[in-house]
Amino acid sequence: MFSDEQIQQETERLYQKLQHVGFGKALCQMFAPLTLEINKIKKEKNAVILAHSYQTPDILYGIADFQGDSYQLSKNAQETDADVIVFCGVRFMAETAKILNPTKTVLLPSPAAGCSLAESITAEDVRKLKAQYPGVPVVTYVNTSAEVKAECDACCTSANALKIIEAFPNESIIFIPDKFMAQNMQKLTTKKLIAWDGSCIVHEEFKVSKIQQFKQKYPGLKVLAHTECAPEVVEASDFAGGTNDMMRYVEKTEAPSYMLVTECGLNDRMRAEFPEKDFLGMCGLCPYMKQNTLGLILEALKNPKPGQVIEMSEEMRKGAERSLLKMFELSQAVPAVEKNPVHI
Ligand code: 13P
Ligand code: SF4
């Protein structure tokens, strides 16, 4: 279908970026026919591909139009005039795209791309919390289902959690579903946060002892932790925030090496973006994020199966949209909060 010359050119294009994450020319050549075909169909169908920074490098640098954190991608989804949005991330992110841009076809290549945080809480759980704490606003981390968002007052992401908490005049806030993010934010606010018992299966695994070992072995190492990590891990780190915050920190600082205490995809992304910098140490794999593959993306674009198309009732969509729009309104209205992201 593609000429040898086209394959060769595509191999070179992929290799320019992917060599920095250890992909050889042979591997790039293997991906080339797939990325060429996806990019061709993407144009024919007027589709846009959004990829979270935890996706694999072949997706991020082979076919994605936008790469970033959940906040940035939600804005990209809201603003696009493409007919089709292919969301290479997890279900709550694809749902967010549909909520914000409902006339578009939104595709999630792998129906199995869930999230342990999103699965930790149901709409019924939120209704019970609201009955238990009448009048207390509910802020939900964006890692929740559309049904849960529809029950809440505002969403937040790792990029603006503290800002959204502070924007409410109330002294108490129900903050769901990530107990570690709630504990991390509790240290930065005088408000009382009422937390849910959810956690991320990737970030809950990181241990302080590993950070200490690496710090001892590599003088000058800067440790960056995602705010989904346990508070003691955040405290042992030099910086904490969301994935885009971490990228900005690396861009703006000079250190002999960096350790990213988060999902391994961000290490690859950083290596591709900052090939002159050194990234080492621990990371974890998110089994949900890694469900998407070039093969599934091609299948979804060509002829999506029902499980790959994001659908929801208009009532639920409207409720969830209210929470998301509240987040956008508050993150613009309130001046930047000094400590979010968390500088230790
Ligand atoms: P970010 O919004 O920081 O990219 O985080 C999303 C996520 O799922 C982290 O595990
Ligand atoms: Fe969910 Fe954790 Fe995976 Fe992010 S890394 S999608 S929070 S399970």
Side-chain angles (χ1 to χ4, degrees):
M1 186 179 170
F2 297 102
S3 67
D4 288 351
E5 198 190 332
Q6 283 172 309
I7 299 280
Q8 219 31 56
Q9 272 178 10
E10 180 69 350
T11 302
E12 285 303 328
R13 184 185 75 85
L14 294 173
Y15 185 67
Q16 283 311 309
K17 273 286 189 200
L18 299 184
Q19 61 177 304
H20 303 300
V21 297
F23 285 30
K25 281 232 172 120
L27 197 53
C28 293
Q29 193 162 14
M30 202 186 85
F31 287 130
L34 265 176
T35 54
L36 278 171
E37 196 175 355
I38 291 170
N39 286 326
K40 179 170 168 279
I41 300 177
K42 186 170 77 173
K43 276 204 193 100
E44 288 166 4
K45 300 221 167 175
N46 189 25
V48 66
I49 300 186
L50 310 183
H52 187 268
S53 294
Y54 294 163
Q55 295 293 288
T56 52
D58 49 315
I59 294 176
L60 281 164
Y61 295 106
I63 54 157
D65 298 292
F66 295 95
Q67 306 104 338
D69 68 353
S70 41
Y71 184 83
Q72 184 213 307
L73 295 176
S74 70
K75 292 302 281 179
N76 295 143
Q78 188 185 34
E79 286 159 13
T80 187
D81 54 13
D83 295 321
V84 180
I85 300 171
V86 182
F87 211 115
C88 301
V90 292
R91 179 166 299 277
F92 76 81
M93 296 179 179
E95 279 187 355
T96 299
K98 183 70 181 177
I99 293 161
L100 293 170
N101 211 337
T103 60
K104 313 298 182 191
T105 299
V106 178
L107 303 172
L108 176 65
S110 171
C115 168
S116 66
L117 276 170
E119 283 152 26
S120 74
I121 190 160
T122 64
E124 181 54 24
D125 293 326
V126 183
R127 286 192 286 273
K128 282 187 186 151
L129 278 171
K130 289 197 290 191
Q132 200 180 340
Y133 301 99
V136 179
V138 187
V139 173
T140 177
Y141 190 35
V142 74
N143 298 38
T144 44
S145 67
E147 205 182 354
V148 164
K149 287 184 178 74
E151 290 291 338
C152 298
D153 295 283
C155 293
C156 72
T157 74
S158 57
N160 58 25
L162 186 61
K163 214 184 206 186
I164 305 299
I165 290 166
E166 295 291 6
F168 280 89
N170 312 58
E171 275 312 302
S172 297
I173 306 277
I174 299 170
F175 186 88
I176 58 164
D178 187 345
K179 65 176 176 192
F180 291 140
M181 188 166 290
Q183 288 165 19
N184 287 323
M185 294 306 130
Q186 187 63 81
K187 294 193 167 178
L188 304 172
T189 182
T190 53
K191 293 178 193 288
K192 178 178 164 30
L193 299 184
I194 299 158
W196 184 249
D197 193 23
S199 57
C200 162
I201 53 166
V202 178
H203 292 90
E204 71 183 357
E205 289 299 320
F206 297 120
K207 300 283 175 280
V208 173
S209 55
K210 268 272 179 312
I211 296 180
Q212 288 165 343
Q213 276 169 24
F214 274 91
K215 281 215 156 217
Q216 257 174 17
K217 197 163 170 201
Y218 300 97
L221 170 75
K222 291 287 180 204
V223 178
L224 287 66
H226 197 280
T227 35
E228 288 173 13
C229 294
E232 62 273 17
V233 170
V234 164
E235 249 162 57
S237 304
D238 298 284
F239 176 88
T243 52
N244 270 20
D245 300 319
M246 289 160 131
M247 289 208 57
R248 274 192 294 273
Y249 180 94
V250 169
E251 189 184 1
K252 291 199 171 112
T253 56
E254 285 306 330
S257 54
Y258 298 89
M259 180 160 85
L260 310 173
V261 186
T262 189
E263 212 276 342
C264 300
L266 196 67
N267 273 282
D268 288 340
R269 175 111 209 265
M270 294 270 201
R271 286 190 180 107
E273 297 290 334
F274 309 109
E276 70 292 354
K277 300 200 177 196
D278 195 14
F279 300 95
L280 49 88
M282 61 179 172
C283 65
L285 279 173
C286 173
Y288 304 106
M289 281 280 178
K290 299 306 196 235
Q291 293 291 325
N292 296 312
T293 60
L294 291 178
L296 284 174
I297 293 162
L298 181 60
E299 179 189 285
L301 261 175
K302 267 182 158 170
N303 191 13
K305 295 202 172 90
Q308 293 172 313
V309 185
I310 301 292
E311 314 233 40
M312 69 192 69
S313 72
E314 184 55 10
E315 193 193 346
M316 189 197 293
R317 190 198 69 77
K318 279 221 165 97
E321 184 186 41
R322 190 186 29 73
S323 281
L324 283 162
L325 295 183
K326 192 73 185 169
M327 168 178 77
F328 293 142
E329 180 199 316
L330 295 178
S331 33
Q332 269 147 34
V334 180
V337 178
E338 281 266 303
K339 286 177 178 164
N340 191 31
V342 191
H343 295 261
I344 306 293

PDB file of all heavy atoms in Angstrom, residues 207-229:
ATOM      1  N   LYS A 207       7.705   3.994  47.216  1.00  0.00           N
ATOM      2  CA  LYS A 207       8.157   3.992  48.618  1.00  0.00           C
ATOM      3  C   LYS A 207       9.270   5.013  48.835  1.00  0.00           C
ATOM      4  O   LYS A 207      10.151   5.183  47.978  1.00  0.00           O
ATOM      5  CB  LYS A 207       8.691   2.597  49.001  1.00  0.00           C
ATOM      6  CG  LYS A 207       7.660   1.470  48.859  1.00  0.00           C
ATOM      7  CD  LYS A 207       6.654   1.464  50.026  1.00  0.00           C
ATOM      8  CE  LYS A 207       5.546   0.440  49.854  1.00  0.00           C
ATOM      9  NZ  LYS A 207       4.448   0.798  48.982  1.00  0.00           N
ATOM     10  N   VAL A 208       9.251   5.625  50.021  1.00  0.00           N
ATOM     11  CA  VAL A 208      10.259   6.632  50.384  1.00  0.00           C
ATOM     12  C   VAL A 208      11.666   6.027  50.361  1.00  0.00           C
ATOM     13  O   VAL A 208      12.627   6.675  49.934  1.00  0.00           O
ATOM     14  CB  VAL A 208       9.946   7.202  51.788  1.00  0.00           C
ATOM     15  CG1 VAL A 208      11.070   8.112  52.268  1.00  0.00           C
ATOM     16  CG2 VAL A 208       8.626   7.945  51.773  1.00  0.00           C
ATOM     17  N   SER A 209      11.793   4.775  50.812  1.00  0.00           N
ATOM     18  CA  SER A 209      13.128   4.164  50.913  1.00  0.00           C
ATOM     19  C   SER A 209      13.846   4.155  49.554  1.00  0.00           C
ATOM     20  O   SER A 209      15.044   4.384  49.480  1.00  0.00           O
ATOM     21  CB  SER A 209      13.017   2.741  51.464  1.00  0.00           C
ATOM     22  OG  SER A 209      12.131   1.998  50.674  1.00  0.00           O
ATOM     23  N   LYS A 210      13.091   3.946  48.482  1.00  0.00           N
ATOM     24  CA  LYS A 210      13.693   3.944  47.141  1.00  0.00           C
ATOM     25  C   LYS A 210      14.215   5.344  46.784  1.00  0.00           C
ATOM     26  O   LYS A 210      15.299   5.496  46.221  1.00  0.00           O
ATOM     27  CB  LYS A 210      12.651   3.514  46.103  1.00  0.00           C
ATOM     28  CG  LYS A 210      12.653   2.028  45.819  1.00  0.00           C
ATOM     29  CD  LYS A 210      13.660   1.746  44.715  1.00  0.00           C
ATOM     30  CE  LYS A 210      13.832   0.344  44.301  1.00  0.00           C
ATOM     31  NZ  LYS A 210      14.005  -0.753  45.081  1.00  0.00           N
ATOM     32  N   ILE A 211      13.425   6.355  47.139  1.00  0.00           N
ATOM     33  CA  ILE A 211      13.848   7.742  46.851  1.00  0.00           C
ATOM     34  C   ILE A 211      15.144   8.020  47.600  1.00  0.00           C
ATOM     35  O   ILE A 211      16.106   8.565  47.040  1.00  0.00           O
ATOM     36  CB  ILE A 211      12.744   8.750  47.271  1.00  0.00           C
ATOM     37  CG1 ILE A 211      11.480   8.529  46.428  1.00  0.00           C
ATOM     38  CG2 ILE A 211      13.241  10.195  47.141  1.00  0.00           C
ATOM     39  CD1 ILE A 211      10.321   9.452  46.742  1.00  0.00           C
ATOM     40  N   GLN A 212      15.192   7.612  48.868  1.00  0.00           N
ATOM     41  CA  GLN A 212      16.398   7.862  49.674  1.00  0.00           C
ATOM     42  C   GLN A 212      17.614   7.153  49.075  1.00  0.00           C
ATOM     43  O   GLN A 212      18.691   7.727  48.980  1.00  0.00           O
ATOM     44  CB  GLN A 212      16.160   7.423  51.121  1.00  0.00           C
ATOM     45  CG  GLN A 212      15.215   8.373  51.847  1.00  0.00           C
ATOM     46  CD  GLN A 212      14.655   7.801  53.138  1.00  0.00           C
ATOM     47  OE1 GLN A 212      14.701   6.580  53.362  1.00  0.00           O
ATOM     48  NE2 GLN A 212      14.111   8.662  53.981  1.00  0.00           N
ATOM     49  N   GLN A 213      17.417   5.898  48.658  1.00  0.00           N
ATOM     50  CA  GLN A 213      18.529   5.142  48.035  1.00  0.00           C
ATOM     51  C   GLN A 213      19.078   5.878  46.814  1.00  0.00           C
ATOM     52  O   GLN A 213      20.284   6.036  46.656  1.00  0.00           O
ATOM     53  CB  GLN A 213      18.039   3.774  47.562  1.00  0.00           C
ATOM     54  CG  GLN A 213      18.024   2.696  48.627  1.00  0.00           C
ATOM     55  CD  GLN A 213      17.272   1.458  48.111  1.00  0.00           C
ATOM     56  OE1 GLN A 213      17.154   1.214  46.914  1.00  0.00           O
ATOM     57  NE2 GLN A 213      16.742   0.684  49.040  1.00  0.00           N
ATOM     58  N   PHE A 214      18.157   6.334  45.949  1.00  0.00           N
ATOM     59  CA  PHE A 214      18.600   7.016  44.724  1.00  0.00           C
ATOM     60  C   PHE A 214      19.263   8.352  45.035  1.00  0.00           C
ATOM     61  O   PHE A 214      20.243   8.733  44.412  1.00  0.00           O
ATOM     62  CB  PHE A 214      17.422   7.195  43.756  1.00  0.00           C
ATOM     63  CG  PHE A 214      17.213   5.995  42.885  1.00  0.00           C
ATOM     64  CD1 PHE A 214      16.360   4.982  43.272  1.00  0.00           C
ATOM     65  CD2 PHE A 214      17.885   5.868  41.683  1.00  0.00           C
ATOM     66  CE1 PHE A 214      16.174   3.852  42.485  1.00  0.00           C
ATOM     67  CE2 PHE A 214      17.705   4.749  40.881  1.00  0.00           C
ATOM     68  CZ  PHE A 214      16.849   3.731  41.280  1.00  0.00           C
ATOM     69  N   LYS A 215      18.712   9.068  46.015  1.00  0.00           N
ATOM     70  CA  LYS A 215      19.292  10.376  46.381  1.00  0.00           C
ATOM     71  C   LYS A 215      20.720  10.206  46.890  1.00  0.00           C
ATOM     72  O   LYS A 215      21.578  11.043  46.636  1.00  0.00           O
ATOM     73  CB  LYS A 215      18.417  11.070  47.419  1.00  0.00           C
ATOM     74  CG  LYS A 215      17.192  11.719  46.807  1.00  0.00           C
ATOM     75  CD  LYS A 215      16.834  13.011  47.526  1.00  0.00           C
ATOM     76  CE  LYS A 215      16.053  13.909  46.609  1.00  0.00           C
ATOM     77  NZ  LYS A 215      16.314  15.303  46.708  1.00  0.00           N
ATOM     78  N   GLN A 216      20.939   9.122  47.639  1.00  0.00           N
ATOM     79  CA  GLN A 216      22.286   8.866  48.166  1.00  0.00           C
ATOM     80  C   GLN A 216      23.258   8.530  47.036  1.00  0.00           C
ATOM     81  O   GLN A 216      24.391   8.967  47.010  1.00  0.00           O
ATOM     82  CB  GLN A 216      22.231   7.688  49.129  1.00  0.00           C
ATOM     83  CG  GLN A 216      22.270   8.150  50.572  1.00  0.00           C
ATOM     84  CD  GLN A 216      22.071   7.017  51.548  1.00  0.00           C
ATOM     85  OE1 GLN A 216      22.202   5.842  51.196  1.00  0.00           O
ATOM     86  NE2 GLN A 216      21.743   7.370  52.765  1.00  0.00           N
ATOM     87  N   LYS A 217      22.761   7.738  46.097  1.00  0.00           N
ATOM     88  CA  LYS A 217      23.634   7.246  45.028  1.00  0.00           C
ATOM     89  C   LYS A 217      23.925   8.316  43.968  1.00  0.00           C
ATOM     90  O   LYS A 217      24.989   8.304  43.352  1.00  0.00           O
ATOM     91  CB  LYS A 217      22.949   6.030  44.376  1.00  0.00           C
ATOM     92  CG  LYS A 217      23.878   5.186  43.552  1.00  0.00           C
ATOM     93  CD  LYS A 217      23.298   3.827  43.277  1.00  0.00           C
ATOM     94  CE  LYS A 217      24.154   3.123  42.244  1.00  0.00           C
ATOM     95  NZ  LYS A 217      23.461   2.067  41.568  1.00  0.00           N
ATOM     96  N   TYR A 218      22.976   9.211  43.743  1.00  0.00           N
ATOM     97  CA  TYR A 218      23.126  10.205  42.661  1.00  0.00           C
ATOM     98  C   TYR A 218      23.037  11.625  43.231  1.00  0.00           C
ATOM     99  O   TYR A 218      21.944  12.194  43.293  1.00  0.00           O
ATOM    100  CB  TYR A 218      22.051   9.992  41.581  1.00  0.00           C
ATOM    101  CG  TYR A 218      22.117   8.627  40.941  1.00  0.00           C
ATOM    102  CD1 TYR A 218      21.298   7.588  41.381  1.00  0.00           C
ATOM    103  CD2 TYR A 218      23.016   8.376  39.902  1.00  0.00           C
ATOM    104  CE1 TYR A 218      21.380   6.322  40.812  1.00  0.00           C
ATOM    105  CE2 TYR A 218      23.100   7.113  39.323  1.00  0.00           C
ATOM    106  CZ  TYR A 218      22.275   6.091  39.788  1.00  0.00           C
ATOM    107  OH  TYR A 218      22.349   4.849  39.224  1.00  0.00           O
ATOM    108  N   PRO A 219      24.161  12.209  43.622  1.00  0.00           N
ATOM    109  CA  PRO A 219      24.124  13.559  44.195  1.00  0.00           C
ATOM    110  C   PRO A 219      23.533  14.556  43.192  1.00  0.00           C
ATOM    111  O   PRO A 219      23.816  14.483  41.995  1.00  0.00           O
ATOM    112  CB  PRO A 219      25.604  13.870  44.479  1.00  0.00           C
ATOM    113  CG  PRO A 219      26.321  12.570  44.400  1.00  0.00           C
ATOM    114  CD  PRO A 219      25.518  11.650  43.552  1.00  0.00           C
ATOM    115  N   GLY A 220      22.694  15.445  43.698  1.00  0.00           N
ATOM    116  CA  GLY A 220      22.091  16.470  42.833  1.00  0.00           C
ATOM    117  C   GLY A 220      20.820  16.009  42.141  1.00  0.00           C
ATOM    118  O   GLY A 220      20.150  16.798  41.475  1.00  0.00           O
ATOM    119  N   LEU A 221      20.491  14.727  42.303  1.00  0.00           N
ATOM    120  CA  LEU A 221      19.264  14.186  41.681  1.00  0.00           C
ATOM    121  C   LEU A 221      18.039  14.980  42.136  1.00  0.00           C
ATOM    122  O   LEU A 221      17.884  15.255  43.325  1.00  0.00           O
ATOM    123  CB  LEU A 221      19.098  12.711  42.107  1.00  0.00           C
ATOM    124  CG  LEU A 221      17.777  12.025  41.761  1.00  0.00           C
ATOM    125  CD1 LEU A 221      17.735  11.681  40.271  1.00  0.00           C
ATOM    126  CD2 LEU A 221      17.586  10.749  42.585  1.00  0.00           C
ATOM    127  N   LYS A 222      17.186  15.345  41.202  1.00  0.00           N
ATOM    128  CA  LYS A 222      15.917  15.996  41.548  1.00  0.00           C
ATOM    129  C   LYS A 222      14.801  14.964  41.414  1.00  0.00           C
ATOM    130  O   LYS A 222      14.662  14.334  40.356  1.00  0.00           O
ATOM    131  CB  LYS A 222      15.624  17.174  40.615  1.00  0.00           C
ATOM    132  CG  LYS A 222      16.557  18.350  40.807  1.00  0.00           C
ATOM    133  CD  LYS A 222      16.256  19.092  42.095  1.00  0.00           C
ATOM    134  CE  LYS A 222      17.194  20.276  42.277  1.00  0.00           C
ATOM    135  NZ  LYS A 222      17.327  20.662  43.681  1.00  0.00           N
ATOM    136  N   VAL A 223      14.030  14.816  42.482  1.00  0.00           N
ATOM    137  CA  VAL A 223      12.944  13.831  42.487  1.00  0.00           C
ATOM    138  C   VAL A 223      11.611  14.562  42.335  1.00  0.00           C
ATOM    139  O   VAL A 223      11.315  15.486  43.087  1.00  0.00           O
ATOM    140  CB  VAL A 223      12.961  13.000  43.793  1.00  0.00           C
ATOM    141  CG1 VAL A 223      11.808  12.008  43.808  1.00  0.00           C
ATOM    142  CG2 VAL A 223      14.291  12.284  43.948  1.00  0.00           C
ATOM    143  N   LEU A 224      10.834  14.132  41.355  1.00  0.00           N
ATOM    144  CA  LEU A 224       9.525  14.745  41.082  1.00  0.00           C
ATOM    145  C   LEU A 224       8.454  13.686  41.295  1.00  0.00           C
ATOM    146  O   LEU A 224       8.519  12.605  40.684  1.00  0.00           O
ATOM    147  CB  LEU A 224       9.445  15.218  39.625  1.00  0.00           C
ATOM    148  CG  LEU A 224      10.223  16.466  39.204  1.00  0.00           C
ATOM    149  CD1 LEU A 224      11.717  16.261  39.276  1.00  0.00           C
ATOM    150  CD2 LEU A 224       9.835  16.832  37.780  1.00  0.00           C
ATOM    151  N   ALA A 225       7.475  13.987  42.139  1.00  0.00           N
ATOM    152  CA  ALA A 225       6.419  12.999  42.412  1.00  0.00           C
ATOM    153  C   ALA A 225       5.073  13.532  41.945  1.00  0.00           C
ATOM    154  O   ALA A 225       4.794  14.732  42.051  1.00  0.00           O
ATOM    155  CB  ALA A 225       6.357  12.703  43.904  1.00  0.00           C
ATOM    156  N   HIS A 226       4.242  12.622  41.464  1.00  0.00           N
ATOM    157  CA  HIS A 226       2.861  13.007  41.130  1.00  0.00           C
ATOM    158  C   HIS A 226       2.088  13.139  42.442  1.00  0.00           C
ATOM    159  O   HIS A 226       2.362  12.405  43.405  1.00  0.00           O
ATOM    160  CB  HIS A 226       2.213  11.932  40.233  1.00  0.00           C
ATOM    161  CG  HIS A 226       0.989  12.441  39.527  1.00  0.00           C
ATOM    162  ND1 HIS A 226      -0.236  12.529  40.160  1.00  0.00           N
ATOM    163  CD2 HIS A 226       0.788  12.896  38.267  1.00  0.00           C
ATOM    164  CE1 HIS A 226      -1.123  13.020  39.303  1.00  0.00           C
ATOM    165  NE2 HIS A 226      -0.527  13.252  38.139  1.00  0.00           N
ATOM    166  N   THR A 227       1.122  14.064  42.488  1.00  0.00           N
ATOM    167  CA  THR A 227       0.371  14.285  43.736  1.00  0.00           C
ATOM    168  C   THR A 227      -0.607  13.140  44.039  1.00  0.00           C
ATOM    169  O   THR A 227      -1.313  13.193  45.043  1.00  0.00           O
ATOM    170  CB  THR A 227      -0.367  15.637  43.702  1.00  0.00           C
ATOM    171  OG1 THR A 227      -0.799  15.899  42.377  1.00  0.00           O
ATOM    172  CG2 THR A 227       0.538  16.756  44.158  1.00  0.00           C
ATOM    173  N   GLU A 228      -0.633  12.111  43.201  1.00  0.00           N
ATOM    174  CA  GLU A 228      -1.383  10.892  43.547  1.00  0.00           C
ATOM    175  C   GLU A 228      -0.551   9.975  44.451  1.00  0.00           C
ATOM    176  O   GLU A 228      -1.037   8.939  44.908  1.00  0.00           O
ATOM    177  CB  GLU A 228      -1.770  10.117  42.278  1.00  0.00           C
ATOM    178  CG  GLU A 228      -2.871  10.795  41.480  1.00  0.00           C
ATOM    179  CD  GLU A 228      -3.132  10.112  40.149  1.00  0.00           C
ATOM    180  OE1 GLU A 228      -2.654   8.988  39.920  1.00  0.00           O
ATOM    181  OE2 GLU A 228      -3.831  10.713  39.315  1.00  0.00           O
ATOM    182  N   CYS A 229       0.718  10.333  44.690  1.00  0.00           N
ATOM    183  CA  CYS A 229       1.576   9.510  45.570  1.00  0.00           C
ATOM    184  C   CYS A 229       1.215   9.797  47.031  1.00  0.00           C
ATOM    185  O   CYS A 229       0.657  10.851  47.361  1.00  0.00           O
ATOM    186  CB  CYS A 229       3.045   9.873  45.369  1.00  0.00           C
ATOM    187  SG  CYS A 229       3.685   9.458  43.739  1.00  0.00           S
TER     188      CYS A 229
END
